[in-house]
Amino acid sequence: MPATEIILPVAHYDLAATLDSGQVFRWRQIEGSWHGVVGQHSVRLTQIESGICAQTFSPVADWSFLREFLQTQIDLPAVLKTFPDDAPMNAAVTSCSGLRLLRQDPWECLASFILSSTKQIVQIRQIVALLCERFGEPSLGAGPACFPLPQRIAAACEADLRECKMGFRAPSLLAAARQIDSGKFDLEKIRTLAYAEAQHQLMTLRGVGEKIADCVLLFAYGFDSAFPVDVWIERALQELYFSRRRASDQRLRKFAATHFGPHAGYAQQYLFHYMRTKVK
DNA sequence: CCCCAGGTCCCGC
DNA sequence: GCGGGACATGGG
């Protein structure tokens, strides 16, 4: 039985779409509720009329860590109003109007997206699950393990990591963990930088290019102007805004940087979800 | 057996 | 800058 429970009142929040949207890779739906780990806590989340019901399996004195993760304080309708009023955006918002951006732990987000390159989302989930099973400390109140700390990964060897089926991404993950564990790379410092400099710093890490850097900036640090361009988004921009005319990569980025407004990252997530879920 | 996946890196023009 | 291939592994 749950040790603690709280209702987080919130409107315009589609919990299922948000937890299943490719921002996070550890949440599983069981009998209508969502199970995952936030910080050290095993958490069960259930969408209810008035918002989100959260349960943990060990005592919680301060729930702010969960509000922060879920970003329940964001005024979503105000964000949606800043989107361009064009057919593709309207269709994307209509198809899923409660989709949210989460605020993840930077290390978990960085590590997960280093493991994401040329992998389908189902497979990323599988790799991350293996990594947590093998290297993660137990979470509070049973359930799945915590995401392994940098120092734990840093102490591993490449062969051990490869057993988690991450293939050629293993050296990148290992190098990032060691840079962070040794203090040569400071994830907290990123928070204090301007967007361009923050992106540049992340891209000094092996296996981190523009796209993965943008994912981390958007999903973990809250840089709302970050606009990750992956194969889905590239397809969306080509098809929906350039009539399949094969605009150059650079042209797409320039368009994205100016067209979607101050919350371009949110718009990106809506387009991504729209492309992945629409029929055909 | 083929193509592709929330890419990145390295190569040669 | 820009196209092309390599890189592990698994799904369809």
Side-chain angles (χ1 to χ4, degrees):
Chain A
M1 287 299 286
T4 321
E5 175 174 318
I6 190 177
I7 307 290
L8 304 174
V10 62
H12 313 291
Y13 204 120
D14 188 332
L15 188 64
T18 300
L19 294 176
D20 197 31
S21 65
Q23 300 176 62
V24 285
F25 303 100
R26 301 201 61 205
W27 289 84
R28 296 182 190 284
Q29 189 170 29
I30 302 171
E31 293 168 0
S33 294
W34 290 85
H35 293 242
V37 178
V38 183
Q40 302 204 218
H41 285 282
S42 272
V43 179
R44 180 164 84 167
L45 301 175
T46 311
Q47 180 112 45
I48 58 176
E49 285 255 345
S50 60
I52 297 167
C53 173
Q55 298 166 323
T56 61
F57 305 85
S58 62
V60 173
D62 181 0
W63 289 93
S64 56
F65 75 99
L66 191 58
R67 291 196 183 88
E68 170 76 2
F69 172 72
L70 291 170
Q71 292 283 285
T72 49
Q73 86 292 0
I74 293 289
D75 181 354
L76 187 63
V79 171
L80 301 185
K81 274 183 201 148
T82 68
F83 290 176
D85 183 14
D86 59 35
M89 268 327 305
N90 290 331
V93 170
T94 302
S95 78
C96 185
S97 60
L99 181 62
R100 299 273 181 150
L101 287 178
L102 299 164
R103 184 66 58 86
Q104 301 178 44
D105 169 70
W107 163 243
E108 175 168 349
C109 187
L110 172 65
S112 299
F113 277 95
I114 284 175
L115 300 176
S116 76
S117 68
T118 54
K119 275 293 177 194
Q120 297 182 109
I121 289 176
V122 254
Q123 294 172 325
I124 302 167
R125 289 200 184 106
Q126 196 176 355
I127 295 168
V128 170
L130 286 169
L131 187 71
C132 294
E133 270 173 42
R134 187 172 171 102
F135 297 101
E137 300 296 322
S139 59
L140 295 173
C146 295
F147 195 90
L149 295 172
Q151 64 187 66
R152 185 68 184 80
I153 302 296
C157 64
E158 190 180 317
D160 291 337
L161 294 179
R162 280 183 188 262
E163 284 183 24
C164 301
K165 308 299 181 188
M166 64 183 72
F168 63 83
R169 304 157 195 83
S172 298
L173 180 66
L174 187 54
R178 288 181 175 170
Q179 289 256 103
I180 291 160
D181 180 48
S182 68
K184 286 178 189 156
F185 194 97
D186 184 358
L187 284 173
E188 280 310 305
K189 179 96 185 293
I190 298 293
R191 221 180 275 290
T192 69
L193 304 175
Y195 167 70
E197 179 58 18
Q199 188 196 46
H200 174 75
Q201 285 301 316
L202 285 170
M203 287 174 65
T204 62
L205 296 169
R206 178 156 197 75
V208 179
E210 209 170 329
K211 189 269 170 181
I212 290 176
D214 276 343
C215 284
V216 177
L217 291 171
L218 183 61
F219 300 148
Y221 292 102
F223 284 85
D224 264 19
S225 59
F227 191 95
V229 178
D230 69 343
V231 289
W232 289 95
I233 290 298
E234 183 179 348
R235 218 172 286 155
L237 296 180
Q238 301 278 17
E239 288 179 12
L240 303 175
Y241 289 100
F242 288 84
S243 314
R244 308 167 190 259
R245 284 202 191 286
R246 292 192 69 246
S248 73
D249 207 48
Q250 195 125 101
R251 180 126 184 253
L252 290 183
R253 285 174 203 290
K254 188 145 194 174
F255 173 77
T258 54
H259 183 70
F260 294 102
H263 302 289
Y266 264 92
Q268 182 273 166
Q269 195 62 20
Y270 273 85
L271 286 174
F272 179 75
H273 186 274
Y274 177 58
M275 293 298 284
R276 284 216 312 140
T277 55
K278 75 172 178 173
V279 260
K280 185 190 90 66

